[in-house]
Amino acid sequence: MYVCMYVCMYVCMCLRVYEREGSQGQAGCCLPIATAVGAVGRWFVVTQVSTEFPVCCAPAPRMFMAATIQLEPLLLFVLWTTVTVVLPGSGEGGWQQSGLGIAVAVPEERCTVERQAHLTYSEFMQHYAFVKPVILQGLTDNSRFRALCSRENLLASFGDNVVRLSTANTYSYRKVDLPFQEYVEQLLHPQDPTSLGNDTLYFFGDNNFTEWAPLFQHYSPPPFRLLGTTPAYSFGIAGAGSGVPFHWHGPGFSEVIYGRKRWFLYPPEKTPEFHPNKTTLAWLQEIYPSLAPSARPLECTIQAGEVLYFPDRWWHATLNLDTSVFISTFLG
């Protein structure tokens, strides 16, 4: 039984490594594998061990079998948590160790932003570049960049780097500098629903491009450009429930590397109702439910590997549904 469980653990670790290297497979298969291997282990104890021992020793394997059957749920739980939480480089890059999403109820999601796979540059320019947001799929392969952005790899490469944090309100005037490792280990936790934006520190936008260049050189941005603009990267990591309230700036792309990020967008001529120092989470709980259907924003949740494009001067607010790693390409 124990041999089978350890074999299963090894198989699951291999699956996790394979997934980390870019597989689209689901690590959720590990638990059924563990269950199946456990069943084989019980069969082995019953049919093989008991027949190999003398009659006088027969109670021993039966007692062992009973003990393993009783302990099996605990063993499976230990195995499952080991594979999904403890092992570095898991399917979520080690970023979900402190939680599996925001601990507050959010309204049922609806997606009103178009998703497009294999969009051509001509189609992008004609239908979206100056017109409306779009979610892009399948344009680039960032599996290498994703592996480098695991919690373990980023702390090993950039843990001592000083990063600049901004407050999570519309204007983000306050800046705080501290080591990246300190931010990850002490401040990267789920958003307190009662906190104001100027009390919430957020790592995004103020990157030292020289220090982060070894990471950024592995990123493949969307291939679409707008005439007269120059792309600039902004890299971010934020806790579940965090986000930035409504604001606007030039056009850009935003890709989720780990986690999920929910977006709310209004066109330039339609100023949303919001308080600049209240978080997106507070807006979602207090204002969103009272909006008439015609007053609701475009919205959708961007999954890992997807890219959202937003045109110039579009209002937008973000909400991280998990601990999220993301990178934006601003076209300034």
Side-chain angles (χ1 to χ4, degrees), residues 89 93-95 145-155 258:
W95 293 107
F145 182 76
R146 188 172 192 265
L148 293 173
C149 288
S150 71
R151 188 177 191 272
E152 179 184 29
N153 287 336
L154 284 184
L155 286 177
Y258 289 108

Side-chain angles (χ1 to χ4, degrees), residues 27 46 62 76 95 110 119 131-132 135 140 162 164 210 213 216 245 259 264 293 328 331:
V46 173
R62 285 197 293 270
L76 290 177
W95 293 107
R110 62 193 189 103
L119 193 69
V131 180
K132 59 183 177 180
I135 300 168
T140 57
V162 174
R164 173 156 290 185
T210 301
F216 292 161
F264 307 92
S328 292
L331 304 177

Side-chain angles (χ1 to χ4, degrees), residues 51-321:
T51 57
E52 293 295 326
F53 278 79
V55 175
C56 63
C57 299
R62 285 197 293 270
M63 292 173 62
F64 173 75
M65 180 191 71
T68 55
I69 290 174
Q70 292 177 359
L71 288 174
E72 184 178 270
L74 176 60
L75 293 171
L76 290 177
F77 175 77
V78 171
L79 168 64
W80 185 243
T81 54
T82 299
V83 172
T84 59
V85 177
V86 177
L87 292 179
S90 68
E92 290 301 329
W95 293 107
Q96 305 309 327
Q97 293 181 358
S98 61
L100 297 175
I102 59 178
V104 295
V106 297
E108 182 179 359
E109 181 190 346
R110 62 193 189 103
C111 184
T112 52
V113 180
E114 294 180 24
R115 278 186 163 87
Q116 294 288 351
H118 313 299
L119 193 69
T120 67
Y121 180 69
S122 176
E123 293 169 334
F124 170 75
M125 292 299 295
Q126 181 179 357
H127 300 292
Y128 304 104
F130 305 102
V131 180
K132 59 183 177 180
V134 62
I135 300 168
L136 305 172
Q137 299 175 315
L139 289 180
T140 57
D141 178 8
N142 276 307
S143 55
R144 171 60 177 163
F145 182 76
R146 188 172 192 265
L148 293 173
C149 288
S150 71
R151 188 177 191 272
E152 179 184 29
N153 287 336
L154 284 184
L155 286 177
S157 300
F158 303 99
D160 294 332
N161 287 16
V162 174
V163 297
R164 173 156 290 185
L165 309 181
S166 303
T167 52
N169 53 8
T170 296
Y171 303 110
S172 301
Y173 289 137
R174 181 183 168 216
K175 308 292 182 180
V176 175
D177 294 338
L178 78 171
F180 177 65
Q181 183 164 349
E182 182 177 337
Y183 170 70
V184 170
E185 295 181 349
Q186 298 184 22
L187 298 181
L188 196 61
H189 49 66
Q191 174 76 45
D192 180 352
T194 64
S195 295
L196 293 175
N198 60 3
D199 295 325
T200 304
L201 294 175
Y202 198 79
F203 173 49
F204 178 65
D206 292 293
N207 306 135
N208 183 319
F209 288 91
T210 301
E211 292 183 341
W212 292 87
L215 177 66
F216 292 161
Q217 69 180 353
H218 295 283
Y219 178 65
S220 298
F224 303 148
R225 292 291 179 268
L226 301 181
L227 185 64
T229 65
T230 301
Y233 295 146
S234 285
F235 181 65
I237 304 172
S242 64
V244 178
F246 282 104
H247 62 287
W248 61 266
H249 43 67
F253 302 91
S254 183
E255 179 169 355
V256 173
I257 307 302
Y258 289 108
R260 299 167 298 155
K261 180 183 286 286
R262 190 167 175 182
W263 284 72
F264 307 92
L265 305 108
Y266 284 101
E269 67 276 9
K270 194 172 183 179
T271 303
E273 177 187 353
F274 72 101
H275 189 293
N277 197 33
K278 287 195 173 183
T279 63
T280 304
L281 184 57
W283 173 86
L284 186 63
Q285 294 173 324
E286 298 169 8
I287 297 179
Y288 180 93
S290 64
L291 295 176
S294 60
R296 288 181 177 177
L298 292 179
E299 60 182 283
C300 204
T301 295
I302 311 303
Q303 309 287 339
E306 293 185 321
V307 180
L308 174 76
Y309 169 76
F310 50 90
D312 186 30
R313 296 177 181 268
W314 270 66
W315 290 94
H316 54 278
T318 59
L319 177 67
N320 297 294
L321 301 184

